[in-house]
């Protein structure tokens, strides 16, 4: 009877979620071991090792009003993978700005450095067949552990759950979906690790430094064909995506993100792409790689550790036009040309609204107002916002402060239909595990659940990411980027994962060394189960900004109450907590971050 009641309630919630999907608002570390095994950290050791040193936020300044509970939940949904009771207390005690400053000073966690470079340094034609592995597991799972993104995906989810530097981890996810490389083309776990560590390292730096680190990264150079580029007939792939996706976009923009003159005026043409491609010739992989087919002249074999190596003799040093106007004088070196191109893009008026709006969409809302985008663009230009930043153009700390402290991000009442964003799968998974006090080894979310959700982290189908920033919501004038990968199957996957964690003992341990699986711990909520209304209300406050509609809340309380109080068994408490979490996690009010 009770199970049937929960099922009857989940079906209309599923329908509501689908309706919302149709129209609702919607330089890197280079060190590392060359050992023969990939690092694996258990969930228990992850918890202690992934936090780094986190400064305590300063107490709330005198005269400043403490954030309300609702806006603290909203803030943490935007700036972390999901609020916890401890986080809420910290934010309400220190205020938003102090919390941001402390997060920007937080150290670690870093991705493990032990991923082997042997796939590119041993010169074997068939590494997996010929290498002497440290254990039978690694021999049987060679491709997974040495070539794929699965091991660092495990680390990503452990960091999302346990990391005390939540802001850096959340911004790192956003940057990885703007400056995309993918395991679909890049084979080498250590290279994928180094690239995404570089993004974390630059999360609070400067956009110009970030562009330089991206452009000189060998894994990116492999992914978009910049390495070993022929000076007489260069591949244009990286040059095009550098402009289209990584910096200025296709159309001239005003500071508020609107089109200059109301229609698309191209920021560059095919000749502009070709000019940049010629300017970026003369780069090869760092030394260290070995090819079984011998030397290819100036072109170093594939190797992902470190930065690209300049080869001046293979660089086209003719006079070239730069993006946005200006020229690169003849006689330049590869480094001079690279810096000139990146400087031109960094000075371009488009870069502030182009990158700023996308970061707003990843963190706060899919449809920011032009005024919001303009304020963020101003912070990009000035390098300071709310007293945070160095005062240098492109300061990431200022950019993030402007995004997260803006009046459009803050405030208790966010009822506008066009406000918010769908929690993408990685955020949904991380937030749910944090709320359920989950222990995890991070496994299972790459090959299985990643496929079910349409988002296997670090393995986007193309350089255009898992979803585009301008994906339209049918029947509206709004965009809903993450809805591009949301469909009935992926919506059901959200409910199935919740069901697995709450009712089926979580995810079982895999076969890799140190595997523990993933298990929720709801014991801390059992004492609240006596009163169904109190239980539902307290979980709702943690998960749902602004609360559930009265009819949905009443229906959930009714379903939770259907588990009768018993004097002979304590299982009813567990059943009540499970039902409350499952139904609130299933609600559109949780699925759409408001």
């Amino acid at each position: 009877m009770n199970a049937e009641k929960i099922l009857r309630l989940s079906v209309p919630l599923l329908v509501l979620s689908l309706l919302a999907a149709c129209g609702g608002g919607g330089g890197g570390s280079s060190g590392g071991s060359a050992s023969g095994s990939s690092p694996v950290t258990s969930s228990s050791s992850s918890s202690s090792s992934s936090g780094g040193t986190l400064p305590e936020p300063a107490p709330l300044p005198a005269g400043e009003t403490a954030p309300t509970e609702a806006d603290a939940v909203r803030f943490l949904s935007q700036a972390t993978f999901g609020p916890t009771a401890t986080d809420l207390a910290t934010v309400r005690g220190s205020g938003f700005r102090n919390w941001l400053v402390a997060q920007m000073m937080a150290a670690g966690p870093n991705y493990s450095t032990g991923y082997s470079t042997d796939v590119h340094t041993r010169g074997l034609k068939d590494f997996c067949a010929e290498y002497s592995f440290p254990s039978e597991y690694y021999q049987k799972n060679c491709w997974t552990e040495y070539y794929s993104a699965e091991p660092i995906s495990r680390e990503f989810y452990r960091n999302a759950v346990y990391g005390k530097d939540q802001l850096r981890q959340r911004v790192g996810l956003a940057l990885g979906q703007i400056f995309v490389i993918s395991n679909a083309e890049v084979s080498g776990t250590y290279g994928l690790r180094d690239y995404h560590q570089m993004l974390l390292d630059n999360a609070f730096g400067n956009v110009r430094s970030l562009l330089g680190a991206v452009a000189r990264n060998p894994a990116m150079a492999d992914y978009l064909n910049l390495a070993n580029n022929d000076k007489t007939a260069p591949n244009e792939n990286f040059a095009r995506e550098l402009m289209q996706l990584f910096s200025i976009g296709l159309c001239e923009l005003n500071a508020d993100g609107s089109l200059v003159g109301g229609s698309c005026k191209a920021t560059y043409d095919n000749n502009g792409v070709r000019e940049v491609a010629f300017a970026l010739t003369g780069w090869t992989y760092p030394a260290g790689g070995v090819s079984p087919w011998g030397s290819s002249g100036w072109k170093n074999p594939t190797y992902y550790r470190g930065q690209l190596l300049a080869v001046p003799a293979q660089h086209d040093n003719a006079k070239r036009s730069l993006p946005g106007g200006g020229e690169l004088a003849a006689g330049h070196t590869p480094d001079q040309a690279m810096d000139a191109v990146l400087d031109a893009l960094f000075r371009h008026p488009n870069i502030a609204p182009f990158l700023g709006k996308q970061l707003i969409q990843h963190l706060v809302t899919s449809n920011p107002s032009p005024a919001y985008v303009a304020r963020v663009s101003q912070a990009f230009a000035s390098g300071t916002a709310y007293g945070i930043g160095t005062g240098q153009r492109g300061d990431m700390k200022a950019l993030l402060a402007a995004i997260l402290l803006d009046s459009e991000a803050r405030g208790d009442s966010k009822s506008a239909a066009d406000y918010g964003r769908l929690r993408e799968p990685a955020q949904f998974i991380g937030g749910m595990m944090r709320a359920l006090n989950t222990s995890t080894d991070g496994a299972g979310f790459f090959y299985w659940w990643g496929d079910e959700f349409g988002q296997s982290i670090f393995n986007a189908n193309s350089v255009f990411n898992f979803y585009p920033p301008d994906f339209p919501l049918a029947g509206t004038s709004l965009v809903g980027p993450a809805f591009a990968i949301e469909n009935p199957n992926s919506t059901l996957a959200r409910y199935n994962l919740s069901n697995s964690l709450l009712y089926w003992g979580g995810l079982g341990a895999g076969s890799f060394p140190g595997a523990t699986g993933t298990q929720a711990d709801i014991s801390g909520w059992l004492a609240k189960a006596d009163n169904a209304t109190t239980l539902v209300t307290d979980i709702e406050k943690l998960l749902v900004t602004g609360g559930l509609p009265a009819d949905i809340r009443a229906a959930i309380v009714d379903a939770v109450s259907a588990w009768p109080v018993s004097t002979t068994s304590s299982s009813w408490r567990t059943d009540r907590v499970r039902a409350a979490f499952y139904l609130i996690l299933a609600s559109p009010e949780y699925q759409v971050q408001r």
Side-chain angles (χ1 to χ4, degrees):
M1 173 65 178
N2 295 333
E4 291 175 359
K5 193 163 191 175
I6 290 174
L7 179 59
R8 287 199 302 271
L9 183 55
S10 342
V11 171
L13 286 174
L14 169 60
V15 173
L16 286 171
S17 289
L18 293 176
L19 287 175
C22 292
S29 174
S30 59
S33 165
S35 65
S37 62
S38 302
V40 176
T41 308
S42 69
S43 58
S44 58
S45 60
S46 243
S47 181
S48 61
S49 68
S50 65
T53 302
L54 181 63
E56 284 298 322
L60 198 69
E64 184 175 324
T65 303
T68 66
E69 189 172 51
D71 202 25
V73 170
R74 174 179 291 110
F75 177 80
L76 289 168
S77 295
Q78 296 163 351
T80 76
F81 276 91
T84 66
T86 300
D87 293 332
L88 282 173
T90 301
V91 167
R92 297 197 70 194
S94 66
F96 300 130
R97 184 187 178 280
N98 284 341
W99 185 90
L100 283 179
V101 170
Q103 283 284 299
M104 290 170 179
M105 295 170 61
N110 293 324
Y111 288 111
S112 302
T113 58
Y115 296 110
S116 176
T117 64
D118 287 348
V119 294
H120 289 144
T121 58
R122 290 178 62 88
L124 302 176
K125 291 184 179 180
D126 189 344
F127 171 79
C128 289
E130 298 183 34
Y131 183 57
S132 177
F133 291 92
S135 73
E136 184 179 359
Y137 166 80
Y138 289 102
Q139 182 176 1
K140 290 182 177 179
N141 297 277
C142 173
W143 192 90
T144 294
E145 297 294 334
Y146 293 91
Y147 288 93
S148 85
E150 201 275 341
I152 58 168
S153 172
R154 297 196 295 254
E155 287 199 71
F156 168 85
Y157 280 106
R158 293 199 299 269
N159 295 344
V161 174
Y162 300 121
K164 294 181 181 179
D165 63 336
Q166 281 285 301
L167 179 62
R168 186 171 75 120
Q169 297 299 324
R170 182 73 187 277
V171 172
L173 172 63
L175 293 177
Q177 296 186 87
I178 298 172
F179 302 94
V180 176
I181 68 170
S182 174
N183 191 201
E185 297 289 340
V186 175
S187 296
T189 306
Y190 76 97
L192 293 164
R193 175 267 172 205
D194 285 2
Y195 183 81
H196 288 283
Q197 182 62 49
M198 175 272 293
L199 295 181
L200 290 177
D201 291 342
N202 283 275
F204 303 139
N206 190 282
V207 171
R208 176 60 182 84
S209 299
L210 175 61
L211 288 174
V214 167
R216 287 177 166 86
N217 182 273
M220 171 61 80
D222 186 14
Y223 184 55
L224 292 182
N225 312 111
L226 177 63
N228 300 333
N229 217 344
D230 191 332
K231 70 176 181 178
T232 61
N235 187 298
E236 299 173 2
N237 200 9
F238 179 74
R240 179 177 292 102
E241 308 309 353
L242 174 64
M243 293 189 286
Q244 179 180 346
L245 300 178
F246 301 163
S247 58
I248 61 176
L250 294 171
C251 305
E252 293 182 7
L253 301 175
N254 295 308
D256 65 3
S258 62
L259 296 173
V260 171
S263 61
C264 183
K265 296 178 176 62
T267 53
Y268 58 88
D269 57 17
N270 287 337
N271 185 63
V273 173
R274 192 151 182 79
E275 289 286 278
V276 171
F278 274 109
L280 299 183
T281 54
W283 296 92
T284 189
Y285 292 106
V290 176
S291 170
W293 298 280
S295 174
S296 297
W298 70 277
K299 300 177 181 180
N300 281 345
T302 303
Y303 184 58
Y304 294 147
R305 181 132 289 162
Q307 292 190 331
L308 292 177
L309 178 68
V311 184
Q314 300 302 323
H315 171 65
D316 174 273
N317 63 359
K319 182 173 70 173
R320 295 292 173 187
S321 298
L322 293 171
E327 288 186 341
L328 176 62
H332 44 76
T333 67
D335 279 297
Q336 289 170 337
M338 174 79 79
D339 286 338
V341 168
L342 298 179
D343 286 343
L345 294 171
F346 183 63
R347 292 191 302 265
H348 198 286
N350 264 36
I351 193 169
F354 184 74
L355 291 182
K357 182 176 180 179
Q358 288 190 72
L359 286 171
I360 294 172
Q361 289 180 307
H362 278 286
L363 299 176
V364 177
T365 183
S366 296
N367 295 274
S369 71
Y372 187 6
V373 176
R375 291 190 291 270
V376 170
S377 294
Q378 174 58 35
F380 183 103
S382 67
T384 184
Y386 301 96
I388 294 174
T390 61
Q392 296 181 343
R393 176 180 173 83
D395 186 282
M396 283 290 294
K397 292 179 181 178
L399 192 61
L400 293 168
I403 290 169
L404 292 167
L405 298 179
D406 190 86
S407 58
E408 198 163 318
R410 305 279 48 82
D412 296 335
S413 178
K414 296 294 180 186
S415 58
D418 61 354
Y419 187 83
R421 61 185 298 277
L422 178 68
R423 294 180 198 268
E424 63 190 288
Q427 184 193 3
F428 171 80
I429 293 169
M432 177 171 60
M433 288 200 290
R434 284 172 62 80
L436 295 175
N437 192 31
T438 303
S439 63
T440 184
D441 57 16
F445 304 117
F446 186 78
Y447 288 124
W448 175 254
W449 288 106
D451 290 339
E452 292 290 296
F453 284 116
Q455 189 180 41
S456 296
I457 291 298
F458 313 134
N459 195 33
N461 290 333
S462 76
V463 72
F464 295 97
N465 189 31
F466 300 101
Y467 51 80
D470 58 353
F471 182 79
L473 287 177
T476 77
S477 60
L478 305 176
V479 300
F483 280 117
I485 54 173
E486 188 70 11
N487 54 56
N489 288 337
S490 61
T491 298
L492 284 171
R494 293 177 183 241
Y495 302 144
N496 289 338
L497 180 58
S498 301
N499 186 62
S500 295
L501 293 183
L502 287 164
Y503 288 97
W504 293 97
L507 309 182
S511 60
F512 61 92
T516 62
T518 296
Q519 297 83 34
D521 177 8
I522 58 174
S523 59
W525 294 89
L526 297 181
K528 296 179 180 287
D530 295 73
N531 188 308
T533 300
T534 300
L535 174 65
V536 170
T537 299
D538 286 354
I539 295 175
E540 172 192 8
K541 286 180 179 178
L542 179 66
L543 295 178
V544 182
T545 302
L548 295 164
D551 58 338
I552 296 296
R553 183 189 302 108
I556 294 176
V557 170
D558 187 37
V560 170
S561 300
W563 300 100
V565 175
S566 171
T567 58
T568 60
S569 171
S570 61
S571 63
W572 63 275
R573 294 182 181 277
T574 300
D575 291 330
R576 283 189 168 193
V577 174
R578 284 172 172 168
F581 265 111
Y582 177 78
L583 292 171
I584 293 173
L585 288 168
S587 69
E589 286 70 30
Y590 177 73
Q591 301 290 336
V592 177
Q593 170 193 313
R594 298 296 298 272

